[in-house]
Amino acid sequence: MEQSIDVFEELQQAAHAFGVPKLAGLMKVHKGTLYNKVSLKKPNALHKPTLSDFIQILDYSRNLRPLKALNSLFNCVTYQLPDMSNVSDEALLDLVNQVHVEAGEAHRSMGDALDDGVVTLDEFKTVERDLHDWIAAILELRSRFKGLVIHAAQ
């Protein structure tokens, strides 16, 4: 596993980028308390970020970097699905096509990386990005298709 980015550092950066005073107001905590919770200094027993703090900071800031850092500790990835509620049923075909486009991009980048028999770190990163885009397209399609489910009266 690659060296992961510190989750607490990302949480602090997300809070500061959004604005700790504004965030504290939304979370209904004193701004000093929130500053202490996201401080990178050794935390004391009273001021550690809780799971609820973590979720609220991500929710209000819309910054997923702390979650991505947490996922990297477990060799996982985050895929943010778009809001598909306003997409027409006809657009479903576009999503299916996008899955195939992303698959083609992933296959192309893998082929390019394997052409000379040596895969460089940059080539791996390109393939990884293309694979993530492909997976994200599949998850978008799944999300939209799930929205088409009709719940029968019981």
Side-chain angles (χ1 to χ4, degrees):
M1 180 172 20
E2 284 185 34
Q3 176 67 26
S4 56
I5 299 169
D6 185 78
V7 177
F8 293 103
E9 182 178 321
E10 290 294 344
L11 192 63
Q12 180 196 51
Q13 289 177 10
H16 283 276
F18 185 79
V20 172
K22 181 178 169 184
L23 193 55
L26 293 168
M27 294 172 64
K28 297 181 180 23
V29 297
H30 291 109
K31 68 180 180 181
T33 300
L34 188 56
Y35 274 114
N36 286 336
K37 284 186 174 199
V38 298
S39 172
L40 297 179
K41 295 177 185 173
K42 283 223 178 221
N44 63 43
L46 295 176
H47 299 295
K48 295 179 183 178
T50 65
L51 179 58
S52 177
D53 296 329
F54 185 86
I55 291 168
Q56 288 182 75
I57 291 170
L58 270 63
D59 186 34
Y60 290 125
S61 72
R62 307 313 298 167
N63 184 333
L64 297 183
R65 289 183 56 97
L67 178 60
K68 291 176 181 181
L70 180 62
N71 282 340
S72 74
L73 290 174
F74 300 100
N75 205 23
C76 297
V77 293
T78 301
Y79 296 103
Q80 188 171 9
L81 298 176
D83 178 8
M84 306 296 282
S85 59
N86 294 323
V87 176
S88 69
D89 293 345
E90 293 78 26
L92 188 58
L93 181 59
D94 291 336
L95 291 173
V96 171
N97 289 334
Q98 186 63 32
V99 167
H100 291 288
V101 167
E102 296 298 346
E105 288 294 316
H107 291 151
R108 181 198 46 75
S109 62
M110 283 187 278
D112 290 349
L114 294 170
D115 272 348
D116 62 0
V118 176
V119 178
T120 66
L121 181 58
D122 284 342
E123 289 171 328
F124 170 76
K125 287 180 180 180
T126 298
V127 170
E128 182 177 45
R129 184 196 67 236
D130 289 344
L131 288 171
H132 287 182
D133 289 347
W134 184 15
I135 292 167
I138 292 168
L139 292 174
E140 288 174 27
L141 176 61
R142 179 201 171 273
S143 176
R144 181 61 184 128
F145 202 75
K146 183 179 180 184
L148 297 176
V149 172
I150 297 172
H151 298 282
Q154 296 180 356

PDB file of all heavy atoms in Angstrom, residues 12-41:
ATOM      1  N   GLN A  12      -8.378  18.734   9.017  1.00  0.00           N
ATOM      2  CA  GLN A  12      -8.054  20.106   9.383  1.00  0.00           C
ATOM      3  C   GLN A  12      -8.109  21.019   8.161  1.00  0.00           C
ATOM      4  O   GLN A  12      -8.689  22.103   8.209  1.00  0.00           O
ATOM      5  CB  GLN A  12      -6.667  20.189  10.021  1.00  0.00           C
ATOM      6  CG  GLN A  12      -6.295  21.615  10.417  1.00  0.00           C
ATOM      7  CD  GLN A  12      -4.832  21.802  10.683  1.00  0.00           C
ATOM      8  OE1 GLN A  12      -4.000  21.428   9.874  1.00  0.00           O
ATOM      9  NE2 GLN A  12      -4.519  22.398  11.834  1.00  0.00           N
ATOM     10  N   GLN A  13      -7.524  20.579   7.053  1.00  0.00           N
ATOM     11  CA  GLN A  13      -7.515  21.398   5.841  1.00  0.00           C
ATOM     12  C   GLN A  13      -8.934  21.633   5.321  1.00  0.00           C
ATOM     13  O   GLN A  13      -9.258  22.735   4.880  1.00  0.00           O
ATOM     14  CB  GLN A  13      -6.636  20.752   4.773  1.00  0.00           C
ATOM     15  CG  GLN A  13      -5.162  20.829   5.112  1.00  0.00           C
ATOM     16  CD  GLN A  13      -4.287  20.133   4.087  1.00  0.00           C
ATOM     17  OE1 GLN A  13      -4.727  19.733   3.012  1.00  0.00           O
ATOM     18  NE2 GLN A  13      -3.019  19.962   4.425  1.00  0.00           N
ATOM     19  N   ALA A  14      -9.778  20.610   5.392  1.00  0.00           N
ATOM     20  CA  ALA A  14     -11.168  20.761   4.946  1.00  0.00           C
ATOM     21  C   ALA A  14     -11.897  21.781   5.813  1.00  0.00           C
ATOM     22  O   ALA A  14     -12.625  22.644   5.302  1.00  0.00           O
ATOM     23  CB  ALA A  14     -11.891  19.416   4.978  1.00  0.00           C
ATOM     24  N   ALA A  15     -11.694  21.701   7.123  1.00  0.00           N
ATOM     25  CA  ALA A  15     -12.354  22.635   8.049  1.00  0.00           C
ATOM     26  C   ALA A  15     -11.869  24.061   7.826  1.00  0.00           C
ATOM     27  O   ALA A  15     -12.669  25.003   7.770  1.00  0.00           O
ATOM     28  CB  ALA A  15     -12.101  22.202   9.495  1.00  0.00           C
ATOM     29  N   HIS A  16     -10.570  24.233   7.672  1.00  0.00           N
ATOM     30  CA  HIS A  16     -10.024  25.585   7.484  1.00  0.00           C
ATOM     31  C   HIS A  16     -10.409  26.154   6.121  1.00  0.00           C
ATOM     32  O   HIS A  16     -10.689  27.353   6.010  1.00  0.00           O
ATOM     33  CB  HIS A  16      -8.506  25.583   7.679  1.00  0.00           C
ATOM     34  CG  HIS A  16      -8.106  25.530   9.123  1.00  0.00           C
ATOM     35  ND1 HIS A  16      -8.028  26.646   9.918  1.00  0.00           N
ATOM     36  CD2 HIS A  16      -7.787  24.483   9.918  1.00  0.00           C
ATOM     37  CE1 HIS A  16      -7.671  26.300  11.136  1.00  0.00           C
ATOM     38  NE2 HIS A  16      -7.516  24.981  11.172  1.00  0.00           N
ATOM     39  N   ALA A  17     -10.427  25.321   5.087  1.00  0.00           N
ATOM     40  CA  ALA A  17     -10.807  25.805   3.754  1.00  0.00           C
ATOM     41  C   ALA A  17     -12.260  26.276   3.741  1.00  0.00           C
ATOM     42  O   ALA A  17     -12.603  27.260   3.089  1.00  0.00           O
ATOM     43  CB  ALA A  17     -10.588  24.713   2.704  1.00  0.00           C
ATOM     44  N   PHE A  18     -13.125  25.576   4.464  1.00  0.00           N
ATOM     45  CA  PHE A  18     -14.538  25.964   4.532  1.00  0.00           C
ATOM     46  C   PHE A  18     -14.727  27.174   5.428  1.00  0.00           C
ATOM     47  O   PHE A  18     -15.596  28.007   5.189  1.00  0.00           O
ATOM     48  CB  PHE A  18     -15.371  24.780   5.049  1.00  0.00           C
ATOM     49  CG  PHE A  18     -16.843  25.022   5.046  1.00  0.00           C
ATOM     50  CD1 PHE A  18     -17.578  24.913   3.880  1.00  0.00           C
ATOM     51  CD2 PHE A  18     -17.501  25.366   6.213  1.00  0.00           C
ATOM     52  CE1 PHE A  18     -18.955  25.149   3.869  1.00  0.00           C
ATOM     53  CE2 PHE A  18     -18.872  25.598   6.225  1.00  0.00           C
ATOM     54  CZ  PHE A  18     -19.602  25.490   5.046  1.00  0.00           C
ATOM     55  N   GLY A  19     -13.915  27.228   6.473  1.00  0.00           N
ATOM     56  CA  GLY A  19     -14.022  28.299   7.466  1.00  0.00           C
ATOM     57  C   GLY A  19     -14.480  27.727   8.789  1.00  0.00           C
ATOM     58  O   GLY A  19     -15.652  27.356   8.926  1.00  0.00           O
ATOM     59  N   VAL A  20     -13.567  27.648   9.750  1.00  0.00           N
ATOM     60  CA  VAL A  20     -13.894  27.038  11.042  1.00  0.00           C
ATOM     61  C   VAL A  20     -15.034  27.765  11.751  1.00  0.00           C
ATOM     62  O   VAL A  20     -15.952  27.114  12.255  1.00  0.00           O
ATOM     63  CB  VAL A  20     -12.631  26.910  11.928  1.00  0.00           C
ATOM     64  CG1 VAL A  20     -12.991  26.450  13.340  1.00  0.00           C
ATOM     65  CG2 VAL A  20     -11.630  25.944  11.297  1.00  0.00           C
ATOM     66  N   PRO A  21     -15.052  29.100  11.790  1.00  0.00           N
ATOM     67  CA  PRO A  21     -16.176  29.766  12.473  1.00  0.00           C
ATOM     68  C   PRO A  21     -17.532  29.428  11.838  1.00  0.00           C
ATOM     69  O   PRO A  21     -18.500  29.144  12.549  1.00  0.00           O
ATOM     70  CB  PRO A  21     -15.844  31.250  12.333  1.00  0.00           C
ATOM     71  CG  PRO A  21     -14.353  31.297  12.185  1.00  0.00           C
ATOM     72  CD  PRO A  21     -14.010  30.071  11.389  1.00  0.00           C
ATOM     73  N   LYS A  22     -17.581  29.445  10.524  1.00  0.00           N
ATOM     74  CA  LYS A  22     -18.832  29.113   9.816  1.00  0.00           C
ATOM     75  C   LYS A  22     -19.221  27.655  10.076  1.00  0.00           C
ATOM     76  O   LYS A  22     -20.390  27.348  10.356  1.00  0.00           O
ATOM     77  CB  LYS A  22     -18.631  29.363   8.324  1.00  0.00           C
ATOM     78  CG  LYS A  22     -19.839  29.091   7.468  1.00  0.00           C
ATOM     79  CD  LYS A  22     -19.504  29.442   6.019  1.00  0.00           C
ATOM     80  CE  LYS A  22     -20.563  28.966   5.057  1.00  0.00           C
ATOM     81  NZ  LYS A  22     -20.182  29.222   3.669  1.00  0.00           N
ATOM     82  N   LEU A  23     -18.243  26.782  10.009  1.00  0.00           N
ATOM     83  CA  LEU A  23     -18.474  25.360  10.236  1.00  0.00           C
ATOM     84  C   LEU A  23     -18.940  25.108  11.672  1.00  0.00           C
ATOM     85  O   LEU A  23     -19.885  24.338  11.897  1.00  0.00           O
ATOM     86  CB  LEU A  23     -17.183  24.591   9.948  1.00  0.00           C
ATOM     87  CG  LEU A  23     -17.225  23.091   9.826  1.00  0.00           C
ATOM     88  CD1 LEU A  23     -18.237  22.636   8.777  1.00  0.00           C
ATOM     89  CD2 LEU A  23     -15.839  22.566   9.463  1.00  0.00           C
ATOM     90  N   ALA A  24     -18.306  25.773  12.617  1.00  0.00           N
ATOM     91  CA  ALA A  24     -18.690  25.611  14.029  1.00  0.00           C
ATOM     92  C   ALA A  24     -20.142  26.032  14.236  1.00  0.00           C
ATOM     93  O   ALA A  24     -20.887  25.365  14.962  1.00  0.00           O
ATOM     94  CB  ALA A  24     -17.757  26.417  14.928  1.00  0.00           C
ATOM     95  N   GLY A  25     -20.558  27.104  13.589  1.00  0.00           N
ATOM     96  CA  GLY A  25     -21.952  27.541  13.695  1.00  0.00           C
ATOM     97  C   GLY A  25     -22.909  26.499  13.163  1.00  0.00           C
ATOM     98  O   GLY A  25     -23.952  26.222  13.778  1.00  0.00           O
ATOM     99  N   LEU A  26     -22.577  25.917  12.022  1.00  0.00           N
ATOM    100  CA  LEU A  26     -23.439  24.882  11.440  1.00  0.00           C
ATOM    101  C   LEU A  26     -23.484  23.628  12.309  1.00  0.00           C
ATOM    102  O   LEU A  26     -24.505  22.959  12.399  1.00  0.00           O
ATOM    103  CB  LEU A  26     -22.954  24.529  10.036  1.00  0.00           C
ATOM    104  CG  LEU A  26     -23.104  25.626   8.982  1.00  0.00           C
ATOM    105  CD1 LEU A  26     -22.324  25.279   7.721  1.00  0.00           C
ATOM    106  CD2 LEU A  26     -24.580  25.836   8.661  1.00  0.00           C
ATOM    107  N   MET A  27     -22.337  23.329  12.946  1.00  0.00           N
ATOM    108  CA  MET A  27     -22.245  22.129  13.785  1.00  0.00           C
ATOM    109  C   MET A  27     -22.754  22.382  15.204  1.00  0.00           C
ATOM    110  O   MET A  27     -22.844  21.456  16.008  1.00  0.00           O
ATOM    111  CB  MET A  27     -20.791  21.640  13.837  1.00  0.00           C
ATOM    112  CG  MET A  27     -20.268  21.150  12.505  1.00  0.00           C
ATOM    113  SD  MET A  27     -18.486  20.782  12.516  1.00  0.00           S
ATOM    114  CE  MET A  27     -18.417  19.409  13.685  1.00  0.00           C
ATOM    115  N   LYS A  28     -23.046  23.650  15.498  1.00  0.00           N
ATOM    116  CA  LYS A  28     -23.533  24.049  16.823  1.00  0.00           C
ATOM    117  C   LYS A  28     -22.527  23.722  17.936  1.00  0.00           C
ATOM    118  O   LYS A  28     -22.879  23.168  18.984  1.00  0.00           O
ATOM    119  CB  LYS A  28     -24.900  23.428  17.108  1.00  0.00           C
ATOM    120  CG  LYS A  28     -25.969  23.904  16.129  1.00  0.00           C
ATOM    121  CD  LYS A  28     -27.306  23.297  16.447  1.00  0.00           C
ATOM    122  CE  LYS A  28     -28.427  23.705  15.556  1.00  0.00           C
ATOM    123  NZ  LYS A  28     -28.245  24.191  14.256  1.00  0.00           N
ATOM    124  N   VAL A  29     -21.266  24.088  17.662  1.00  0.00           N
ATOM    125  CA  VAL A  29     -20.206  23.978  18.674  1.00  0.00           C
ATOM    126  C   VAL A  29     -19.460  25.306  18.705  1.00  0.00           C
ATOM    127  O   VAL A  29     -19.535  26.095  17.756  1.00  0.00           O
ATOM    128  CB  VAL A  29     -19.214  22.826  18.373  1.00  0.00           C
ATOM    129  CG1 VAL A  29     -19.905  21.480  18.395  1.00  0.00           C
ATOM    130  CG2 VAL A  29     -18.479  23.043  17.068  1.00  0.00           C
ATOM    131  N   HIS A  30     -18.770  25.568  19.796  1.00  0.00           N
ATOM    132  CA  HIS A  30     -17.964  26.788  19.874  1.00  0.00           C
ATOM    133  C   HIS A  30     -16.810  26.685  18.888  1.00  0.00           C
ATOM    134  O   HIS A  30     -16.215  25.620  18.714  1.00  0.00           O
ATOM    135  CB  HIS A  30     -17.423  26.986  21.296  1.00  0.00           C
ATOM    136  CG  HIS A  30     -18.496  27.314  22.272  1.00  0.00           C
ATOM    137  ND1 HIS A  30     -18.922  26.416  23.237  1.00  0.00           N
ATOM    138  CD2 HIS A  30     -19.245  28.430  22.427  1.00  0.00           C
ATOM    139  CE1 HIS A  30     -19.882  26.970  23.940  1.00  0.00           C
ATOM    140  NE2 HIS A  30     -20.108  28.200  23.478  1.00  0.00           N
ATOM    141  N   LYS A  31     -16.481  27.806  18.257  1.00  0.00           N
ATOM    142  CA  LYS A  31     -15.416  27.778  17.250  1.00  0.00           C
ATOM    143  C   LYS A  31     -14.083  27.372  17.876  1.00  0.00           C
ATOM    144  O   LYS A  31     -13.294  26.663  17.253  1.00  0.00           O
ATOM    145  CB  LYS A  31     -15.313  29.088  16.485  1.00  0.00           C
ATOM    146  CG  LYS A  31     -14.847  30.273  17.288  1.00  0.00           C
ATOM    147  CD  LYS A  31     -14.772  31.517  16.433  1.00  0.00           C
ATOM    148  CE  LYS A  31     -14.308  32.692  17.285  1.00  0.00           C
ATOM    149  NZ  LYS A  31     -14.239  33.923  16.534  1.00  0.00           N
ATOM    150  N   GLY A  32     -13.814  27.775  19.119  1.00  0.00           N
ATOM    151  CA  GLY A  32     -12.579  27.368  19.801  1.00  0.00           C
ATOM    152  C   GLY A  32     -12.498  25.866  19.971  1.00  0.00           C
ATOM    153  O   GLY A  32     -11.431  25.259  19.830  1.00  0.00           O
ATOM    154  N   THR A  33     -13.635  25.266  20.283  1.00  0.00           N
ATOM    155  CA  THR A  33     -13.686  23.805  20.426  1.00  0.00           C
ATOM    156  C   THR A  33     -13.362  23.130  19.104  1.00  0.00           C
ATOM    157  O   THR A  33     -12.581  22.180  19.055  1.00  0.00           O
ATOM    158  CB  THR A  33     -15.074  23.360  20.922  1.00  0.00           C
ATOM    159  OG1 THR A  33     -15.335  23.974  22.186  1.00  0.00           O
ATOM    160  CG2 THR A  33     -15.160  21.857  21.056  1.00  0.00           C
ATOM    161  N   LEU A  34     -13.949  23.644  18.026  1.00  0.00           N
ATOM    162  CA  LEU A  34     -13.686  23.045  16.720  1.00  0.00           C
ATOM    163  C   LEU A  34     -12.242  23.269  16.300  1.00  0.00           C
ATOM    164  O   LEU A  34     -11.610  22.356  15.760  1.00  0.00           O
ATOM    165  CB  LEU A  34     -14.659  23.584  15.665  1.00  0.00           C
ATOM    166  CG  LEU A  34     -14.591  22.877  14.312  1.00  0.00           C
ATOM    167  CD1 LEU A  34     -14.810  21.366  14.439  1.00  0.00           C
ATOM    168  CD2 LEU A  34     -15.605  23.481  13.352  1.00  0.00           C
ATOM    169  N   TYR A  35     -11.694  24.461  16.559  1.00  0.00           N
ATOM    170  CA  TYR A  35     -10.274  24.683  16.269  1.00  0.00           C
ATOM    171  C   TYR A  35      -9.420  23.643  16.996  1.00  0.00           C
ATOM    172  O   TYR A  35      -8.483  23.084  16.426  1.00  0.00           O
ATOM    173  CB  TYR A  35      -9.832  26.096  16.690  1.00  0.00           C
ATOM    174  CG  TYR A  35     -10.060  27.170  15.660  1.00  0.00           C
ATOM    175  CD1 TYR A  35     -10.966  28.197  15.898  1.00  0.00           C
ATOM    176  CD2 TYR A  35      -9.350  27.173  14.454  1.00  0.00           C
ATOM    177  CE1 TYR A  35     -11.174  29.206  14.966  1.00  0.00           C
ATOM    178  CE2 TYR A  35      -9.547  28.180  13.514  1.00  0.00           C
ATOM    179  CZ  TYR A  35     -10.460  29.183  13.773  1.00  0.00           C
ATOM    180  OH  TYR A  35     -10.664  30.180  12.840  1.00  0.00           O
ATOM    181  N   ASN A  36      -9.742  23.381  18.268  1.00  0.00           N
ATOM    182  CA  ASN A  36      -8.988  22.401  19.042  1.00  0.00           C
ATOM    183  C   ASN A  36      -9.161  20.992  18.475  1.00  0.00           C
ATOM    184  O   ASN A  36      -8.201  20.222  18.412  1.00  0.00           O
ATOM    185  CB  ASN A  36      -9.411  22.425  20.509  1.00  0.00           C
ATOM    186  CG  ASN A  36      -8.882  23.642  21.234  1.00  0.00           C
ATOM    187  OD1 ASN A  36      -7.883  24.229  20.844  1.00  0.00           O
ATOM    188  ND2 ASN A  36      -9.575  24.027  22.298  1.00  0.00           N
ATOM    189  N   LYS A  37     -10.378  20.656  18.059  1.00  0.00           N
ATOM    190  CA  LYS A  37     -10.631  19.302  17.542  1.00  0.00           C
ATOM    191  C   LYS A  37      -9.878  19.023  16.251  1.00  0.00           C
ATOM    192  O   LYS A  37      -9.468  17.896  16.011  1.00  0.00           O
ATOM    193  CB  LYS A  37     -12.132  19.089  17.324  1.00  0.00           C
ATOM    194  CG  LYS A  37     -12.904  18.864  18.600  1.00  0.00           C
ATOM    195  CD  LYS A  37     -14.342  18.506  18.311  1.00  0.00           C
ATOM    196  CE  LYS A  37     -15.060  18.131  19.580  1.00  0.00           C
ATOM    197  NZ  LYS A  37     -16.269  17.362  19.318  1.00  0.00           N
ATOM    198  N   VAL A  38      -9.716  20.047  15.413  1.00  0.00           N
ATOM    199  CA  VAL A  38      -9.026  19.815  14.140  1.00  0.00           C
ATOM    200  C   VAL A  38      -7.552  20.215  14.203  1.00  0.00           C
ATOM    201  O   VAL A  38      -6.855  20.151  13.193  1.00  0.00           O
ATOM    202  CB  VAL A  38      -9.735  20.520  12.953  1.00  0.00           C
ATOM    203  CG1 VAL A  38     -11.145  19.973  12.783  1.00  0.00           C
ATOM    204  CG2 VAL A  38      -9.731  22.020  13.102  1.00  0.00           C
ATOM    205  N   SER A  39      -7.077  20.587  15.385  1.00  0.00           N
ATOM    206  CA  SER A  39      -5.670  20.943  15.544  1.00  0.00           C
ATOM    207  C   SER A  39      -4.814  19.699  15.339  1.00  0.00           C
ATOM    208  O   SER A  39      -5.183  18.586  15.722  1.00  0.00           O
ATOM    209  CB  SER A  39      -5.433  21.509  16.948  1.00  0.00           C
ATOM    210  OG  SER A  39      -4.047  21.667  17.161  1.00  0.00           O
ATOM    211  N   LEU A  40      -3.651  19.894  14.755  1.00  0.00           N
ATOM    212  CA  LEU A  40      -2.729  18.774  14.543  1.00  0.00           C
ATOM    213  C   LEU A  40      -1.791  18.576  15.728  1.00  0.00           C
ATOM    214  O   LEU A  40      -0.991  17.650  15.734  1.00  0.00           O
ATOM    215  CB  LEU A  40      -1.925  18.982  13.255  1.00  0.00           C
ATOM    216  CG  LEU A  40      -2.752  19.010  11.983  1.00  0.00           C
ATOM    217  CD1 LEU A  40      -1.863  19.246  10.768  1.00  0.00           C
ATOM    218  CD2 LEU A  40      -3.545  17.725  11.810  1.00  0.00           C
ATOM    219  N   LYS A  41      -1.927  19.449  16.740  1.00  0.00           N
ATOM    220  CA  LYS A  41      -1.142  19.265  17.961  1.00  0.00           C
ATOM    221  C   LYS A  41      -1.689  18.045  18.683  1.00  0.00           C
ATOM    222  O   LYS A  41      -2.809  17.614  18.445  1.00  0.00           O
ATOM    223  CB  LYS A  41      -1.248  20.497  18.854  1.00  0.00           C
ATOM    224  CG  LYS A  41      -0.640  21.739  18.232  1.00  0.00           C
ATOM    225  CD  LYS A  41      -0.848  22.923  19.123  1.00  0.00           C
ATOM    226  CE  LYS A  41      -0.337  24.181  18.445  1.00  0.00           C
ATOM    227  NZ  LYS A  41      -0.672  25.382  19.195  1.00  0.00           N
TER     228      LYS A  41
END
